[in-house]
Amino acid sequence: MTVSSIPLNERPALVRKACEALGVSGFIIPRGDEYLGEYVAPCSDRLAWLTGFTGSAGLAVLLLDAAAVFSDGRYTVQMEEQVPHELWERRHVTLEPASDWLTEKAAGLRVGYDPKLVSRSMLAAWAAPGVELVPLAVNPIDQAWMDRPSAPASTIVEQPLTFAGESSTSKRERLAAFLMRSSQDAVVLADCTSIAWLLNIRGNDVPLTPVAHGYGILHADGRAELFADPARLESGLVDVLGADVAVCTPDLLEERLGTLAGKVVRLDPVTTPVWFETTLKAVGAKVVDGNDPCTLPKAVKNSVEQEGSRRAHKLDGIAMARFLHSLSSSAAGQRETDLVDRLNGFRAQSSDYREQSFDAISAAGPNGAYPHYRAEVGKDRVLAPNNVYLIDSGGQYPFGTTDITRTLWIGPDAAPQSIKENFTRVLKGNIALSRVRFPPGTTGHRLDTLARAALWEIGLDYDHGTGHGIGSYLSVHEGPQNISPAPRPTALEAGMIVSNEPGYYEPGAYGIRIENLMLVKPSAYQSAKGIFLEFEILSYTPIDRELIDVTLLDDAELTWLNAYHAEVLTRVGPDVEADVLAWLEDACAPVLRNNA
């Protein structure tokens, strides 16, 4: 919860008063900040301050006589718990879009928005007949939030070539050549992860993602401008960036955009606030739509980044082995939040560990049925005997980002057959996706059904995507690739890293998810049409044998499972203590049909 001396139930009235002074009848508040990122600094967590809702996706609409908070199915329960019912309606953003609510509640009204917090694609989604959406020069929440925290000012540091694998000069030259081929003079970069990748820099301005706040302009001759306080740069970084990267104070941004008058400027309508488009057009620049040119090359990891990811996952595998071993002797009776602290403590035994890559999902019993459940101290559940426990977590290391989920049976009795069947069908989906070989040009959408087919056989499914991209010491959720029922045009390419996380969720009872990260690589198999692609598994942690119904696995699946566990033992075993190794040897022992 965002800390403020102003009581939560008094905040909407303060914002309404500010709206009236600005000549509008309401205001739309998105979750994101000025950089439209997944995670926001405390000073930019406006949605949480106003409504109490702390989910990572959503928005709110505050009118003079009505108000609603919107989020997706991951957070419906969280909205019910956090948002004051007497002040706010709670809406499912997919089933009850904000545009429909605005049409009903705000017809004929002028509703404001902050153009520095909103992309053009967001505005298009909010468009409602009869409602005038008005850009405001002043944010009414910022006016009402008297004790708003200071903006972050972490030190901006170099991401050394030993981890980045390609110099900033080389990256800028590659992208500049792309701009030249596209007849574009410059591109504005608002995504902090793109700037971090392009300039080989990192920071600590937001939780869980090592980026520094700032905007960038890349010119077609390879020059770049970074808009961040020069005093924040670590000693020597200006020299590392070189003469072709100008570091400008943020107050110079509008002036520098003015120098693009008459130029063709590329903007990503999804990742760039509309303020940039308005400002550029006002000075006579020609604005053209185009994807952020950093996004795809950032997703395709070079050989150094690939090796860094393997290194990070080895450290993660060691921490996970120690954690799971500890649960074998002390699980029942433990609180969900205490287990997160325990796992992070094991990760922190490595001097290379920096922080979590996201807020861990530590879910006992029925809490596991919420795919994005977050345990809170004082409200968390105690692990009960004979129950399912789900732990989804990840770490940030200077050479890689991890994300892994395991589902465990907490005894002492054997797991019910119904749970074992559902778990094994999730496992079958994970194995099917792990083993697939596919031609270049294949999108993740085409592979998604492999992870669901075994569940579909008995009329089950899960309501989330199967895989997302992962950054290299950057965001744990990275595009443009994914594996999902929703089609995306981006094909999977060698060098991309994706998650493989099918699941099943029984409301009021338990949740199941099995997640490994995978690297797309060329296959040794060649057809008449050339080389195919396949996956290299990066995550190495045992899969709970207590939940496997071996009769549901065919020979190829059983062979894969036993080979995977043998590899876990080979990779992790030499680096753990004797008692952990003894547990690991048992956890990785071959699963045999005569044990069924």
Side-chain angles (χ1 to χ4, degrees), residues 420-436 449-458 462 500 502-503 512 514 543 547-558 560-561 593:
K420 292 180 68 173
E421 176 174 358
N422 292 342
F423 179 91
T424 306
R425 289 184 179 276
V426 172
L427 175 60
K428 286 169 71 72
N430 183 284
I431 294 173
L433 195 54
S434 301
R435 296 179 58 231
V436 68
T449 54
L450 293 171
R452 300 174 190 268
L455 287 166
W456 286 355
E457 286 179 353
I458 58 171
Y462 51 96
N500 173 4
I512 296 167
I514 304 170
I543 296 166
L547 284 169
I548 297 173
D549 180 354
V550 70
T551 65
L552 294 175
L553 298 178
D554 63 30
D555 289 345
E557 291 166 337
L558 188 58
W560 182 94
L561 178 64
R593 293 199 184 279

Side-chain angles (χ1 to χ4, degrees), residues 312 316 347 353 355-358 393-397 400-403:
D316 233 46
R347 283 196 171 101
Y353 176 67
E355 63 177 334
Q356 296 184 91
S357 57
F358 59 98
S393 69
Q396 292 284 12
Y397 303 85
T401 300
T402 68
D403 181 3

Side-chain angles (χ1 to χ4, degrees), residues 497-572:
I497 297 175
V498 292
S499 66
N500 173 4
E501 48 183 310
Y504 173 70
Y505 308 92
E506 185 73 30
Y510 60 87
I512 296 167
R513 190 161 62 251
I514 304 170
E515 177 186 19
N516 288 332
L517 298 192
M518 309 186 301
L519 171 69
V520 183
K521 68 174 186 177
S523 171
Y525 176 83
Q526 295 191 39
S527 73
K529 293 185 177 181
I531 293 177
F532 271 46
L533 300 173
E534 61 187 22
F535 292 117
E536 172 190 335
I537 309 300
L538 296 171
S539 311
Y540 281 94
T541 293
I543 296 166
D544 192 355
R545 298 162 76 246
E546 296 296 319
L547 284 169
I548 297 173
D549 180 354
V550 70
T551 65
L552 294 175
L553 298 178
D554 63 30
D555 289 345
E557 291 166 337
L558 188 58
T559 297
W560 182 94
L561 178 64
N562 288 331
Y564 175 77
H565 276 153
E567 190 67 17
V568 172
L569 192 58
T570 297
R571 290 173 181 249
V572 178

Side-chain angles (χ1 to χ4, degrees), residues 298 301 400-402 469-478 497:
K298 173 161 56 75
K301 309 299 186 274
T401 300
T402 68
I470 293 91
S472 181
Y473 191 41
L474 278 174
S475 176
V476 74
H477 298 128
E478 180 178 271
I497 297 175

Side-chain angles (χ1 to χ4, degrees), residues 378-443:
K379 300 179 181 180
D380 55 334
R381 196 177 188 90
V382 174
L383 270 68
N386 300 319
N387 230 312
V388 174
Y389 173 60
L390 184 152
I391 178 70
D392 184 351
S393 69
Q396 292 284 12
Y397 303 85
F399 33 76
T401 300
T402 68
D403 181 3
I404 185 168
T405 309
R406 288 296 182 264
T407 305
L408 312 170
W409 175 252
I410 307 301
D413 298 341
Q417 178 57 33
S418 60
I419 296 178
K420 292 180 68 173
E421 176 174 358
N422 292 342
F423 179 91
T424 306
R425 289 184 179 276
V426 172
L427 175 60
K428 286 169 71 72
N430 183 284
I431 294 173
L433 195 54
S434 301
R435 296 179 58 231
V436 68
R437 182 178 291 130
F438 53 94
T442 300
T443 62

